[in-house]
Amino acid sequence: MTDVRIAAPVHEAHLGTRRLGVPALVFMIIAASAPLTVVAGGVTSNFAVTSVLGVPLSFLVLGAVLIVFSVGYSAMSQHIHNAGAFYAYVARGLGKPAGVGSAWVALVSYNSMQVGIYGLFGYALASLLQSLTGADLPWWGCALAGWVVVGLLGITKVDLSARVLGILVALEFVVVTVYDLIAVGAAPEGVSLQSFEPGSLFTTGVGAVLSFSIAAFMGFESGAIYNEEVKDPRHTARRATTIAIVVIALFYAVSAWAMTVGEGPSAVVARSAEQGPGLVFAFLGTYLPVWAVDIANVLFVTSLFAALVAFHNVVARYFFSMAREGVLPGRLARTNPRTQAPVAGSVAQSALALVVLVVFAVAGSGSELGPLYPVLTLFTWLTNMGAFGLVLLMAVTSVAVVGYFRRHRTWYGVWTRTVAPVIGAVCLTIVFALIVANFTVLIGAQGDTVLGWLLPAIVVVPGVVGVLWAWRLRSADPAVYAGIGRGGTLDDDTSALGVVPAERH
């Protein structure tokens, strides 16, 4: 009975239900993308590193790929309501060992994205406070201040986090839209669509461009993770995911294009390399009063904060999902009795983040990189690790969708069950290969370096360990093994939605 009791909290543990609607979920998804951060930091870095003008077109290309991926992914979300989305989908489509391996990759990847952002957040907040007050604060002190607030929000009701993120994301959109309008109006070389021409993208460096741009979408898949907490499990996550992909792709494409117009197609690469993230704020400073630019800088910091909260919530739910099924210690499935937030998972994520922050703070003391140390190390290394792992998971999940619907009779047509997932798997595998080929470029390294293989290994090796752990559970703890990927129940919940399982696992 002891083994069964480890998995038993599973049947009782649950998250707060029926709180999130489509608008709230869209804001939470987009918050993970951090719009202002992507435009000010991601787009300028892309231009600077790759010297390719077709960055705007890359967002449209990747948006199309992810829309195709979301066809099968969203179909799965209607039938499998599990806070560990990738984990559950792969387990149900490719088998339990693959599911546990994917869960470990997801945990490492999402934690990497979340903790890595603290590097840029700490630097940006310290720089902002110095410019406004003259105070010279260490980056790690500012990062820890954000860490405290993120942790507190993580143990509250999910709809409170959604409201906070909704306000911050809306303000980010306002700032970037103002920038876009001013940039297009300035147009020193005229309004040109050159950056949308295929020849501007599909040239030397296209692999690096796509590798940079895919990171801007990371977090879009998190909608399915909240399927136990949405008002309509059949439609909310699917609609929110589609809306978020379309909004992200179009908004970033237009904003990147506006940057080429505002700086001039012939100058945008050089100016991005020269000014980096400061390019957007320097541009706004020539057209807007100082107070408006200060507000934009404040929103740059809150953009990063919104991403921290969004990814923190995702990690907490992965801990909850795995612990609820006994794959992790059952205590990590504990929820707040009042708010139903995954409090143990939230605390675990905060603890991991604290350890990494302390390590980098100590290691960076006296670094020759100076103030940029947390940006060039913690932020750059870990967020690219996260993107590496998440793209791999999306490719694997596409294959899992095919496997799942082959074993379950549904009303879906061949496009949803097979064609779209296969296309998505092929395209995402290509993007993943490009990330691998350009990984040293993405982390700012030169030539062959230990980091070029060590950082990807940190993501992949836990996946292998997870597969071995699942195999051990199959013989050592059959009760836990039987519940893997099923949200704490051995019943197939898809029958309620018209899906008839062809066979039991």
Side-chain angles (χ1 to χ4, degrees):
M1 290 298 293
T2 302
D3 291 338
V4 174
R5 286 170 56 193
I6 293 177
V10 206
H11 299 281
E12 301 171 1
H14 60 86
L15 298 169
T17 57
R18 308 299 179 257
R19 288 196 175 110
L20 297 176
V22 172
L25 192 53
V26 169
F27 278 121
M28 294 188 77
I29 293 172
I30 295 178
S33 165
L36 183 54
T37 300
V38 168
V39 174
V43 173
T44 53
S45 297
N46 206 336
F47 280 127
V49 173
T50 67
S51 299
V52 173
L53 187 63
V55 172
L57 180 58
S58 71
F59 290 114
L60 299 182
V61 171
L62 291 171
V65 169
L66 296 178
I67 283 291
V68 173
F69 162 79
S70 72
V71 170
Y73 183 75
S74 296
M76 289 279 278
S77 75
Q78 294 184 66
H79 307 302
I80 301 176
H81 307 155
N82 194 305
F86 285 140
Y87 160 52
Y89 296 176
V90 175
R92 302 289 287 275
L94 297 179
K96 296 175 176 64
V100 177
S102 296
W104 280 103
V105 172
L107 269 180
V108 174
S109 300
Y110 281 122
N111 268 299
S112 296
M113 292 292 290
Q114 202 272 352
V115 179
I117 293 171
Y118 276 116
L120 183 54
F121 174 82
Y123 167 80
L125 181 56
S127 298
L128 176 65
L129 292 176
Q130 185 174 43
S131 66
L132 294 179
T133 68
D136 186 14
L137 300 175
W139 72 268
W140 52 264
C142 294
L144 286 176
W147 174 84
V148 171
V149 181
V150 169
L152 291 175
L153 284 175
I155 59 176
T156 61
K157 291 182 179 180
V158 69
D159 49 345
L160 174 60
S161 291
R163 286 195 293 271
V164 172
L165 297 183
I167 293 171
L168 296 180
V169 170
L171 293 173
E172 290 180 58
F173 271 99
V174 170
V175 172
V176 177
T177 299
V178 169
Y179 168 78
D180 292 347
L181 292 174
I182 294 176
V184 173
E189 298 178 17
V191 178
S192 168
L193 295 176
Q194 183 182 351
S195 58
F196 282 121
E197 295 176 0
S200 295
L201 174 62
F202 297 101
T203 182
T204 303
V206 61
V209 172
L210 294 175
S211 299
F212 267 105
S213 295
I214 192 69
F217 290 88
M218 292 301 96
F220 84 91
E221 76 295 337
S222 63
I225 292 171
Y226 296 94
N227 231 342
E228 297 182 48
E229 302 166 84
V230 296
K231 295 178 180 178
D232 181 358
R234 288 191 63 180
H235 301 296
T236 299
R238 174 176 57 83
R239 291 169 179 167
T241 299
T242 302
I243 292 171
I245 293 173
V246 172
V247 170
I248 289 171
L250 293 178
F251 190 69
Y252 291 162
V254 169
S255 297
W257 167 74
M259 188 177 293
T260 68
V261 173
E263 301 296 333
S266 67
V268 67
V269 169
R271 290 181 181 173
S272 293
E274 178 185 348
Q275 300 185 45
L279 178 69
V280 170
F281 303 106
F283 182 89
L284 289 174
T286 62
Y287 294 93
L288 298 177
V290 173
W291 61 265
V293 179
D294 288 340
I295 291 176
N297 277 287
V298 169
L299 289 173
F300 179 66
V301 174
T302 60
S303 170
L304 293 163
F305 176 78
L308 286 169
V309 173
F311 280 114
H312 174 89
N313 287 340
V314 170
V315 174
R317 280 153 180 79
Y318 259 91
F319 275 123
F320 167 84
S321 177
M322 295 174 67
R324 177 177 59 178
E325 298 180 2
V327 177
L328 289 178
R331 65 180 68 91
L332 288 173
R334 292 176 183 169
T335 59
N336 186 315
R338 183 174 58 84
T339 67
Q340 283 78 56
V343 62
S346 177
V347 171
Q349 200 287 321
S350 294
L352 284 173
L354 180 61
V355 170
V356 177
L357 283 174
V358 170
V359 169
F360 273 84
V362 173
S365 179
S367 171
E368 61 183 17
L369 296 176
L372 284 175
Y373 169 80
V375 179
L376 298 177
T377 57
L378 179 58
F379 174 72
T380 301
W381 296 353
L382 269 66
T383 55
N384 279 296
M385 278 174 57
F388 169 90
L390 293 177
V391 173
L392 173 61
L393 284 172
M394 285 189 282
V396 173
T397 301
S398 291
V399 179
V401 171
V402 177
Y404 178 80
F405 286 121
R406 283 186 63 186
R407 289 192 293 270
H408 294 78
R409 297 190 298 274
T410 73
W411 62 84
Y412 296 120
V414 68
W415 167 254
T416 299
R417 290 185 287 108
T418 305
V419 177
V422 169
I423 293 174
V426 171
C427 292
L428 287 166
T429 300
I430 292 172
V431 174
F432 177 71
L434 292 173
I435 292 175
V436 173
N438 292 277
F439 196 79
T440 54
V441 175
L442 298 177
I443 62 174
Q446 300 292 329
D448 294 330
T449 173
V450 172
L451 290 175
W453 61 263
L454 178 61
L455 297 180
I458 292 174
V459 176
V460 174
V461 170
V464 176
V465 173
V467 171
L468 298 176
W469 175 247
W471 283 341
R472 178 187 178 279
L473 286 175
R474 182 165 53 186
S475 58
D477 201 334
V480 169
Y481 185 81
I484 289 174
R486 294 186 176 274
T489 175
L490 299 183
D491 297 324
D492 196 315
D493 59 357
T494 58
S495 59
L497 291 170
V499 180
V500 182
E503 60 181 84
R504 290 282 188 181
H505 301 286

